[in-house]
Amino acid sequence: MDHFALKNGVMHAEDVPLPDIAEAVGTPVYVYSRATLERHAKVFRDGLEAVPDKLIAFAVKSNPNLAVLRVLQQQGYGADVVSGGEMRRALAAGIAPEKIVFSGVGKTAIEIQDALDARIGQFNIESEEEGLELAALAAASGRTAQCTLRINPDVDAGTHDKISTGKADNKFGVPIDQAGQIFGKLAGQDGVNLRGVAVHIGSQLGDLAPLERAFGKLGELIKSLRGAGHAITHVDLGGGLGVPYHKDENPPSPAEYGAMVARVTKDWGVSLIFEPGRVIAGNAGVLLTRVVRVKRGINDPFVIVDAAMNDLARPALYGAYHDFAAVKPNGKGMTANIVGPICETGDTFAMGRDCDHLTSGDLAVFRTAGAYGATMASSYNSRGFVAEVLVDGGKFAVVADRIDAGAIMDAERVPDWLA
């Protein structure tokens, strides 16, 4: 459920008509619903009610906007971060350092040191080499870093190849058949308390079976590690639950996920960490755009909108589907190719899409754009960065300014020797 719906023939975000936002802020613009974010945060938390000891750490990479993070901080969420910049955002949003988990395969020495100085709650170590470097930096700082070792369970998540992270040939984690040896080596290092293991097999999962297989392998590893004398007190189960981009999709609910987790982990005796991202933010946002013109095509017309692949990259990157709807539908339909203005054939949101009838100047939305939308934007074709708005009931505020092409160019310099 989200809070984007037609009222008196006009699409609203909660109680705000979307044309009011377009008039005040311009297009394209991302629009987020506070009520939807809060509802999804509660539904996910309630789904894990049977898990007694847990931390829910929002995957900041899915939507790092400070206002979004503040909403989730007020819901008691922590943060899963994968860069020093994301860590700074989480801290700036008021998320307690002890609720921050630092994941990612490419943590630099500077990022590790900054995270140690911030006294974050946990590092998810992705390799033996990273673990040794972390141990050395922590010991030199007189600190002990709380850590888990990320395991690659060699489980195919059954999702898109570019968002699958748990197969043997993916770059994440250490192979499960080497985990015991690597864990033993790192556990003996000064500067780290290797207190558990972590796993994350992919994103946009539509089936719980791959997760259950991965968790089952993790449970066997925990037994083996404890048998070797290691204390396992924390396990990070990652995230990855999918959301319905298509109206006919029905991914597992947080309640179904929580029941599976409670059943599989009931004898583990650990504190569990979860890293939801898309399932919290995806349906909490839309990309509001305006039709530039409708161009006659060989078969179907091209509806050219002012949003582009630099604003919403998922269709170009993954062939991803986003529902496309008129803000003021007139009851008529059409079959069209939905494209943006960028000079790339890849700047195509849909081909042969059945949609509301649209003409030049009409407003429309790409739905389920609250995750992996603005955060993946670029300035390609010397386009600016899209604005972001948060709606709360009958009011709204700009929570990220539009950055125009001129401001981006102002950050560039021509050296004297080219004058």
Side-chain angles (χ1 to χ4, degrees), residues 357-371:
H357 186 268
L358 291 161
T359 60
S360 176
D362 287 346
L363 292 170
V365 295
F366 293 100
R367 289 185 174 273
T368 319

Side-chain angles (χ1 to χ4, degrees), residues 59-322:
V60 173
K61 63 180 177 291
S62 65
N63 190 323
N65 184 277
L66 286 175
V68 169
L69 297 182
R70 178 61 63 86
V71 170
L72 296 175
Q73 180 268 338
Q74 292 176 351
Q75 292 295 308
Y77 275 49
D80 164 57
V81 305
V82 294
S83 72
E86 287 189 354
M87 181 190 74
R88 288 192 291 275
R89 282 178 171 272
L91 292 169
I95 294 173
E98 62 269 20
K99 288 187 173 184
I100 295 177
V101 178
F102 200 153
S103 305
V105 301
K107 307 177 192 72
T108 67
I110 292 173
E111 288 176 321
I112 291 172
Q113 188 62 59
D114 286 347
L116 287 168
D117 293 344
R119 291 176 166 80
I120 68 163
Q122 180 171 293
F123 292 84
N124 287 348
I125 297 171
E126 301 250 6
S127 66
E128 178 181 333
E129 295 82 358
E130 178 193 323
L132 293 173
E133 183 172 2
L134 170 60
L137 288 168
S141 302
R143 299 201 176 98
T144 300
Q146 304 301 315
C147 307
T148 65
L149 180 64
R150 180 169 175 176
I151 309 303
N152 185 322
D154 193 20
V155 171
D156 186 350
T159 187
H160 194 287
D161 282 346
K162 291 187 178 180
I163 53 175
S164 179
T165 59
K167 294 188 290 187
D169 57 352
N170 293 144
K171 68 179 181 178
F172 300 94
V174 303
I176 194 164
D177 60 354
Q178 300 175 25
Q181 176 187 353
I182 294 172
F183 196 103
K185 182 173 183 178
L186 295 179
Q189 301 295 316
D190 291 336
V192 297
N193 175 29
L194 193 54
R195 62 187 189 175
V197 289
V199 69
H200 177 74
I201 65 170
S203 186
Q204 187 53 16
L205 301 176
D207 184 359
L208 292 178
L211 282 172
E212 186 163 351
R213 285 197 298 273
F215 297 166
K217 288 188 173 187
L218 208 61
E220 292 302 314
L221 176 63
I222 291 169
K223 291 179 184 177
S224 175
L225 291 172
R226 284 173 170 164
H230 300 295
I232 306 298
T233 60
H234 290 72
V235 174
D236 189 331
L237 295 182
L241 273 191
V243 299
Y245 286 96
H246 291 266
K247 290 184 175 68
D248 58 354
E249 286 181 327
N250 188 30
S253 69
E256 292 168 328
Y257 170 73
M260 181 272 287
V261 168
R263 173 172 49 80
V264 172
T265 66
K266 60 183 173 61
D267 298 324
W268 288 8
V270 297
S271 177
L272 292 176
I273 299 169
F274 301 89
E275 301 170 358
R278 187 191 317 263
V279 73
I280 305 296
N283 284 316
V286 299
L287 176 57
L288 177 60
T289 185
R290 190 179 294 277
V291 177
V292 177
R293 67 182 55 89
V294 178
K295 172 185 173 182
R296 186 168 50 221
I298 298 297
N299 296 309
D300 300 318
F302 289 89
V303 174
I304 304 168
V305 297
D306 62 2
M309 62 186 284
N310 73 299
D311 305 308
L312 179 61
R314 295 186 68 254
L317 282 177
Y318 312 131
Y321 178 98
H322 285 269

Side-chain angles (χ1 to χ4, degrees), residues 29-85:
V29 56
Y30 279 96
V31 181
Y32 309 127
S33 159
R34 177 179 181 176
T36 307
L37 287 167
E38 291 179 339
R39 179 185 181 276
H40 290 177
K42 181 180 185 301
V43 168
F44 192 87
R45 185 173 57 244
D46 290 349
L48 295 171
E49 188 175 5
V51 177
D53 188 358
K54 58 185 174 289
L55 168 66
I56 305 176
F58 176 68
V60 173
K61 63 180 177 291
S62 65
N63 190 323
N65 184 277
L66 286 175
V68 169
L69 297 182
R70 178 61 63 86
V71 170
L72 296 175
Q73 180 268 338
Q74 292 176 351
Q75 292 295 308
Y77 275 49
D80 164 57
V81 305
V82 294
S83 72

